[in-house]
Amino acid sequence: MLVSQILKSKAGGVVTIAPGATLREVVELLSTRRIGAVVVSSDGKKVKGIVSERDVVRELGRAGPGCLDTKVDAVMTRAIYGCAPADTADSVLETMTTRRFRHMPVMDGTVMVGFISIGDVVAARLAELQMEKDALTGMIMGN
């Protein structure tokens, strides 16, 4: 399965937050949207960073609740690994597992066209495996 197919099955667009926003705003956004990460972007197309639940927890542990007034620029993950719409689910899953992160922007050149989570990739891969199983079962049973 390709990343472009995974994106088609997702509802809604990419959730972004401005670079000057605070961690408090990130926490509110993560909570209300029930998501695990948000892309830091000025225009919704260029990725400056990603702030995940892990980043927030790490900063809370380091600095305490006062960190909620910290700007996302100081906390965001800047080393971003993206994927392309033509990449396979298997290759994305391997990158996420090896690099130990759960969210990845989908890039068309330098422009972000989507955002996928490890949950999106695993769900797509499981659906693909189920279809393969059903097809093989049908062939064996003569259906």
Side-chain angles (χ1 to χ4, degrees):
M1 180 169 289
L2 300 179
V3 169
S4 59
Q5 294 169 296
I6 296 170
L7 286 179
K8 285 179 187 173
S9 69
K10 288 187 64 154
V14 179
V15 178
T16 63
I17 197 158
T22 65
L23 274 186
R24 184 178 315 280
E25 293 171 277
V26 169
V27 168
E28 290 170 4
L29 191 57
L30 294 177
S31 176
T32 58
R33 298 296 292 268
R34 300 183 70 181
I35 54 177
V38 63
V39 175
V40 181
S41 176
S42 333
D43 61 4
K45 299 193 183 310
K46 303 277 188 213
V47 179
K48 293 189 179 250
I50 295 174
V51 180
S52 70
E53 295 166 322
R54 287 181 181 176
D55 296 321
V56 173
V57 168
R58 190 176 307 114
E59 193 61 15
L60 276 167
R62 188 189 71 72
C67 76
L68 293 175
D69 295 322
T70 302
K71 302 292 185 201
V72 295
D73 310 63
V75 179
M76 69 185 183
T77 300
R78 296 172 187 274
I80 304 302
Y81 291 89
C83 62
D87 288 347
T88 65
D90 286 341
S91 69
V92 169
L93 196 54
E94 183 178 335
T95 300
M96 288 179 161
T97 302
T98 303
R99 299 275 180 192
R100 299 189 51 77
F101 56 79
R102 298 177 291 187
H103 301 87
M104 182 182 276
V106 180
M107 307 296 292
D108 184 4
T110 60
V111 176
M112 179 177 54
V113 295
F115 195 58
I116 58 175
S117 71
I118 197 163
D120 298 328
V121 180
V122 168
R125 189 67 182 111
L126 288 173
E128 188 176 43
L129 290 171
Q130 183 64 46
M131 287 189 309
E132 290 173 10
K133 176 189 170 264
D134 292 345
L136 288 171
T137 301
M139 288 181 353
I140 292 167
M141 303 301 251
N143 296 334

